Amino acid sequence: MPPKRITIRDHSAEANLFARRTVITLLGIVGLLCVLISNLYYLQVTRFQDYQTRSNGNRIKVLPVAPNRGLIYDRNGELLAENRPSFTLEVVPEQVEDLNQTLSELAALLQISDEDLEDFRQELKSQRRFKPVALKSRLSHEEVALFSANQHKYPGVSVEARLTRYYPYGETLTHMLGYVAKINKKDLQKLVEAGQEDNYAATYNIGKQGVEKFHEDRLHGQVGYQEVEVNNQGRIIRTLEFQPPTPGEDIILNVDVKLQRVIQGLMQGYRGSVVVIDPNNGAVLALYSNPSYDPNLFVHGISSKDYRRLLQSPDRPLINRATQGQYPPASTVKPHLALLGLDEEVITPQTRMFDRGTYRLKNVERPWRDWKKWGHGWVDVTKSIEVSCDTFFYDLAYRLGIDSISEMMVKFGFGDYTGIDLYEESDGNMPSRGWKRAKHNQPWYIGDTISVGIGQSYWTTTPLQLAKSVTVLVNHGTRYVPQLMRGRYVDGEIQLNAPRELSPLVLKHPQNWDVVLDAMYGTVNREHGTARKAFKDTKYISAGKTGTAQVISIAEDEEYDAEKIAEHHRDNAMYIGYAPYDNPQIVVTVAMENAGGGSSQAAPIARKVMDYFFENQPVESYAAQ
């Protein structure tokens, strides 16, 4: 067998193979470098803004800054609603690792009540987890110091200082001013619908009642922003940029808080209201409803116990009786009805009738009784108003008819909203044939009309409506919308609102205004006037009309005896008045629930209100303001 041949190495082939491998390797390396460079370009150039934004999002936060709420002053510069510093313990849920454990430890540390914890959990359900939720409000300085010493143990929990609303006069102005309280789901939904959600990003409270709610847009202001740098624990290191918020407007009310406090003192122990208006422009000088409550209870969240007490009180303190209380106007509307009778020529100033104490219609068995059992004898329109003769107005209403009465009384403002800058208002009821058919599916009876003649039956009004109607009388038909807001501060200067005037009520015979006003003068100043005793020896001359509103029906063979019936069934006392008679500066309306007669109860209250007004507010200087 021949020997094996030894293969000689092909160096050239090996060199070529090596070269090919080297080239392929280099191409691979170059390709990978290109991919790396391409990715670096993509990250550093193409996506630079995106990743810088993400980076800054971890490092830089944009925080909304709540504006300071506008202040509220009375007409004389007294502060009615202010902002005071307050400390609140807040929790950002997403930053807390074990929320239940944290809440338990904080409750032990700061003595947080079970009710506060429950409120926090309820609030948590309606808030996003990245937004802070208040756990406890109104921390004392000792509690702030105690938490600050232990804050490192509770990431996501902090004490925040902010300005909160405070009402220095408490329950004196509640039904007028209203109050602010925490923004709830319903409020948030309304803000979203109105496109205002962003403007309330840092705001916790919103106007809930009264002026605070009606003028919310003015009082709130515009949100600001601050751009801050934070560390990995979310703590602010420094502020990079600050856009200050625009504070809310400071507004001025027509109200005189000193007059309001006098009225508050006079109404203690009674349920009812007093309204005082300047008839020259519709400015509301006082609007008080009793009983009232402290609005400061609602600012930081009212307790369940306190809220139940208000809700369950038989005196209904949450109702604004001045604008929501609906009462039969009783004899206070006799001047209005007399004016209609005169203008329609159903009666004249000389028309007389004999009052025997009852009024009867032909073929009707039931009589209608006068408040004075034996009657008033011969009366004309002037005397019938002065002595408040029911019989005269039974007959007048019968002759006028409900259609004519309803049409005219609507022009005075009955059965409609007054337009005052409050949302809490009832429209009362001015009955008509159509109203009764729609409401009770019954026809209108002549007996209904006769009762309307003395302000009873289905006729109801609010004290504010009644006051507005009196301004129409004293102004000979000029009608103003009642206004609480007097003006606002603009660059340190007071900018006053113009009076809101409606189309006037025009009579066929303008001289009839003076006939009715003269009768109201007689009610206060002549021998048999029902308010003469209450206004005896005043230093000013006033005019007015008393009213006693029957709450329950009294059978024909029964006599009214307040001592024998339940307190809530007793008559309401009413009074309308104005002064001075020849140059009216104020109109006063008093409504007192179950208090008795208008001449004995309501008129003396009105007298004291006017006494204070003219003793402490000279007409000349007051009118010039």
Side-chain angles (χ1 to χ4, degrees):
M1 179 175 196
K4 232 179 193 186
R5 296 179 63 184
I6 299 173
T7 304
I8 299 174
R9 296 178 62 184
D10 189 343
H11 294 286
S12 176
E14 288 180 356
N16 291 335
L17 177 62
F18 177 78
R20 286 195 301 271
R21 288 177 176 175
T22 301
V23 170
I24 291 172
T25 301
L26 287 173
L27 289 175
I29 292 172
V30 170
L32 290 174
L33 285 173
C34 289
V35 170
L36 178 61
I37 293 170
S38 175
N39 281 337
L40 286 173
Y41 182 86
Y42 176 76
L43 293 174
Q44 298 292 333
V45 179
T46 305
R47 295 294 303 277
F48 172 77
Q49 291 296 335
D50 294 339
Y51 287 105
Q52 184 184 50
T53 300
R54 291 188 187 184
S55 174
N56 287 340
N58 294 327
R59 183 179 65 88
I60 299 173
K61 299 288 184 184
V62 178
L63 305 176
V65 181
N68 291 338
R69 193 170 181 86
L71 307 179
I72 303 176
Y73 297 88
D74 87 335
R75 66 183 299 119
N76 298 311
E78 291 291 330
L79 190 58
L80 308 181
E82 61 179 302
N83 302 318
R84 289 187 173 183
S86 175
F87 296 100
T88 303
L89 186 67
E90 295 183 353
V91 179
V92 180
E94 73 171 4
Q95 297 179 8
V96 179
E97 185 174 342
D98 189 337
L99 185 59
N100 290 329
Q101 178 64 26
T102 298
L103 292 177
S104 177
E105 292 179 7
L106 289 173
L109 179 68
L110 300 176
Q111 297 182 346
I112 299 174
S113 68
D114 292 339
E115 186 171 355
D116 283 338
L117 291 171
E118 181 60 29
D119 289 343
F120 172 82
R121 291 190 172 95
Q122 291 297 323
E123 183 75 11
L124 197 61
K125 295 177 182 178
S126 61
Q127 293 288 353
R128 298 172 182 175
R129 291 188 60 81
F130 60 82
K131 294 192 70 174
V133 180
L135 177 57
K136 185 177 182 180
S137 302
R138 290 178 289 180
L139 295 175
S140 66
H141 291 288
E142 291 76 12
E143 289 174 323
V144 172
L146 181 60
F147 175 77
S148 298
N150 293 274
Q151 186 172 4
H152 63 281
K153 302 177 183 177
Y154 306 107
V157 184
S158 62
V159 170
E160 300 296 332
R162 60 172 56 90
L163 296 176
T164 57
R165 209 55 153 179
Y166 179 74
Y167 304 100
Y169 288 97
E171 61 183 30
T172 303
L173 300 155
T174 300
H175 293 104
M176 181 196 314
L177 284 182
Y179 56 84
V180 300
K182 289 181 180 179
I183 297 175
N184 56 30
K185 273 187 176 181
K186 187 176 179 180
D187 299 321
L188 187 58
Q189 182 61 34
K190 289 182 178 179
L191 291 172
V192 171
E193 293 172 358
Q196 290 287 317
E197 182 183 16
D198 291 343
N199 196 36
Y200 284 76
T203 303
Y204 290 83
N205 290 343
I206 193 170
K208 296 282 190 173
Q209 295 277 333
V211 169
E212 291 278 27
K213 181 177 181 179
F214 193 93
H215 293 292
E216 173 67 25
D217 290 345
R218 292 181 179 277
L219 292 166
H220 178 260
Q222 295 294 318
V223 69
Y225 294 92
Q226 63 174 338
E227 190 176 89
V228 298
E229 184 177 0
V230 297
N231 60 18
N232 60 351
Q233 295 181 339
R235 292 177 181 265
I236 296 175
I237 299 173
R238 59 179 174 144
T239 299
L240 303 176
E241 186 178 349
F242 181 70
Q243 179 181 335
T246 303
E249 293 181 359
D250 294 342
I251 67 174
I252 308 163
L253 301 186
N254 283 306
V255 174
D256 182 339
V257 70
K258 293 181 180 178
L259 178 63
Q260 183 89 355
R261 294 188 73 180
V262 168
I263 294 171
Q264 180 184 15
L266 294 173
M267 289 295 289
Q268 291 309 300
Y270 298 103
R271 294 186 304 274
S273 71
V274 176
V275 177
V276 183
I277 293 182
D278 182 345
N280 298 293
N281 52 25
V284 178
L285 307 180
L287 189 145
Y288 183 71
S289 174
N290 198 63
S292 185
Y293 58 93
D294 186 357
N296 293 301
L297 293 172
F298 287 87
V299 175
H300 297 281
I302 190 170
S303 68
S304 299
K305 179 181 178 181
D306 287 336
Y307 193 53
R308 279 196 305 271
R309 176 177 55 82
L310 293 175
L311 279 178
Q312 297 172 3
S313 171
D315 292 332
R316 301 186 302 164
L318 294 173
I319 299 295
N320 183 352
R321 285 169 162 81
T323 60
Q324 295 175 301
Q326 300 189 52
Y327 307 98
S331 296
T332 59
V333 291
K334 287 177 179 175
H336 308 70
L337 292 165
L339 183 67
L340 173 60
L342 290 166
D343 209 50
E344 292 295 322
E345 300 180 359
V346 172
I347 58 174
T348 70
Q350 292 75 38
T351 299
R352 301 175 73 214
M353 72 175 293
F354 191 81
D355 172 25
R356 294 181 174 85
T358 58
Y359 178 75
R360 292 182 180 273
L361 286 177
K362 188 177 180 180
N363 300 322
V364 177
E365 292 184 5
R366 175 201 167 185
W368 284 269
R369 296 185 294 185
D370 194 286
W371 69 267
K372 194 173 184 180
K373 186 176 181 180
W374 50 87
H376 297 89
W378 286 104
V379 294
D380 57 15
V381 64
T382 299
K383 186 176 180 181
S384 67
I385 292 175
E386 292 175 356
V387 300
S388 199
C389 174
D390 292 337
T391 304
F392 186 93
F393 286 93
Y394 289 146
D395 184 65
L396 177 59
Y398 172 70
R399 296 165 66 183
L400 284 169
I402 188 58
D403 297 328
S404 178
I405 293 173
S406 181
E407 181 181 354
M408 182 62 152
M409 294 306 110
V410 167
K411 294 178 181 178
F412 273 103
F414 294 107
D416 196 6
Y417 300 102
T418 65
I420 191 174
D421 39 344
L422 290 177
Y423 290 118
E424 302 79 41
E425 184 181 13
S426 299
D427 57 356
N429 182 53
M430 187 63 240
S432 64
R433 296 179 191 276
W435 170 84
K436 190 177 181 185
R437 176 62 70 182
K439 181 73 173 179
H440 300 286
N441 194 25
Q442 293 178 356
W444 186 267
Y445 299 110
I446 191 62
D448 297 330
T449 302
I450 291 174
S451 294
V452 164
I454 60 166
Q456 296 278 173
S457 185
Y458 301 104
W459 191 350
T460 61
T461 182
T462 67
L464 181 63
Q465 278 180 340
L466 201 53
K468 180 183 177 183
S469 77
V470 179
T471 67
V472 178
L473 284 175
V474 302
N475 287 326
H476 289 204
T478 300
R479 302 189 302 168
Y480 292 105
V481 175
Q483 286 185 288
L484 285 172
M485 183 173 166
R486 176 175 173 80
R488 57 199 178 103
Y489 286 103
V490 179
D491 298 327
E493 299 291 329
I494 297 177
Q495 187 177 92
L496 297 179
N497 292 348
R500 294 174 57 196
E501 188 172 345
L502 303 173
S503 57
L505 194 166
V506 180
L507 297 183
K508 301 173 187 175
H509 309 289
Q511 67 272 19
N512 290 327
W513 293 111
D514 293 327
V515 175
V516 170
L517 295 175
D518 176 70
M520 295 177 70
Y521 168 88
T523 300
V524 175
N525 299 283
R526 295 190 182 121
E527 181 180 0
H528 300 292
T530 55
R532 182 173 182 269
K533 183 178 179 181
F535 284 85
K536 185 179 180 181
D537 299 328
T538 58
K539 296 179 181 179
Y540 52 88
I541 299 175
S542 70
K545 183 69 190 78
T546 58
T548 303
Q550 191 172 298
V551 176
I552 59 171
S553 298
I554 303 297
E556 182 181 344
D557 57 346
E558 293 181 353
E559 293 292 334
Y560 174 81
D561 187 345
E563 299 299 325
K564 294 182 180 180
I565 62 176
E567 191 267 345
H568 62 280
H569 286 158
R570 296 172 188 169
D571 293 342
N572 294 336
M574 312 287 288
Y575 185 78
I576 60 172
Y578 63 94
Y581 171 70
D582 57 351
N583 180 28
Q585 297 298 315
I586 61 167
V587 165
V588 178
T589 296
V590 180
M592 303 171 69
E593 296 178 11
N594 315 120
S599 59
S600 60
Q601 298 295 329
I605 295 289
R607 157 74 186 269
K608 292 174 182 177
V609 171
M610 292 183 182
D611 284 351
Y612 173 82
F613 179 86
F614 291 114
E615 287 173 5
N616 296 274
Q617 301 284 359
V619 173
E620 294 78 9
S621 63
Y622 200 89
Q625 288 186 12

